[in-house]
């Protein structure tokens, strides 16, 4: 559990990576769960993912929850590594089921190439891996938890004695 929250509270790189990832993924999760940003909301998304996409309902529910709550966890810097693992797993599934056979580039203008490429996911995975390795970093709940835990160790003679 300690490793899950451990982070360097002065790490600006971790802060930037988790905020960029969380802010990017949050609108996707809000579309799926709340219907914001032109999304279909929970029922519409569950219907699409379990019907058209053919996913089991537990996977469809996981997609919605990971994209919404995982993004919020990243933005807050709470359980950053746990959220990053969820994001990696979620989007690995998206890539393997929907994008792996497409070209590299995003397909914003071409009608010849169907589907979006992989470049978005390269960035997403890169940021998620940084968050997984570094944790929450500066201005994160993880840093506050790490600080409380290390303060308890420093002030507890029983803990200090057991560490010898």
């Amino acid at each position: 559990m300690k490793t899950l929250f451990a982070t360097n509270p002065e790490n600006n790189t971790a802060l930037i990576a988790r905020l960029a990832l969380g802010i990017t993924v949050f609108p996707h999760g809000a579309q799926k769960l709340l219907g914001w940003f032109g999304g279909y909301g929970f029922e519409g998304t569950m219907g699409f993912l379990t019907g058209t996409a053919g996913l089991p309902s537990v996977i469809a529910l996981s997609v919605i929850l990971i994209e919404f709550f995982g993004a919020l966890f990243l933005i807050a810097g709470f359980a950053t590594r746990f959220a990053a693992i969820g994001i990696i797993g979620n989007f690995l599934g998206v890539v393997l089921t929907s994008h792996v056979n497409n070209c590299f580039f995003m397909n914003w203008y071409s009608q010849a190439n169907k589907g979006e490429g992989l470049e978005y996911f390269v960035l997403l995975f890169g940021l998620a891996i940084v968050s997984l390795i570094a944790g929450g970093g500066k201005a994160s709940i993880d840093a506050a938890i790490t600080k409380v835990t290390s303060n308890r160790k420093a002030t507890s003679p029983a803990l200090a004695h057991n560490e010898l």
Side-chain angles (χ1 to χ4, degrees):
M1 208 53 168
K2 184 171 77 171
T3 305
L4 178 68
F5 294 103
T7 190
N8 176 351
E10 300 302 318
N11 189 333
N12 289 317
T13 304
L15 167 67
I16 293 166
R18 74 176 166 80
L19 286 178
L21 181 58
I23 290 167
T24 300
V25 173
F26 177 76
H28 296 278
Q31 285 177 319
K32 290 173 178 68
L33 184 64
L34 305 174
W36 294 2
F37 309 108
Y40 297 109
F42 181 77
E43 285 185 33
T45 303
M46 282 296 288
F48 171 77
L49 292 175
T50 57
T52 306
L55 295 176
S57 57
V58 69
I59 300 294
L61 178 62
S62 296
V63 166
I64 295 168
L65 296 178
I66 288 168
E67 289 187 26
F68 185 79
F69 289 106
L72 287 178
F73 279 24
L74 286 166
I75 291 167
F78 175 70
T80 303
R81 288 184 175 91
F82 179 72
I85 287 275
I87 296 288
I88 290 168
N90 180 73
F91 284 100
L92 189 59
V94 170
V95 166
L96 294 175
T97 60
S98 302
H99 296 273
V100 74
N101 293 321
N102 297 342
C103 64
F104 178 77
F105 297 102
M106 297 301 292
N107 186 20
W108 291 335
Y109 306 110
S110 172
Q111 297 301 330
N113 297 326
K114 302 293 182 195
E116 300 295 341
L118 300 173
E119 67 182 328
Y120 167 80
F121 299 102
V122 170
L123 296 171
L124 184 139
F125 288 132
L127 291 170
I129 290 168
V130 169
S131 296
L132 180 63
I133 293 168
K138 192 171 194 163
S140 68
I141 294 173
D142 291 349
I145 291 170
T146 300
K147 183 177 179 183
V148 167
T149 305
S150 60
N151 283 347
R152 264 195 222 140
K153 276 187 184 177
T155 59
S156 172
L159 285 175
H161 178 72
N162 287 338
E163 290 177 357
L164 296 176

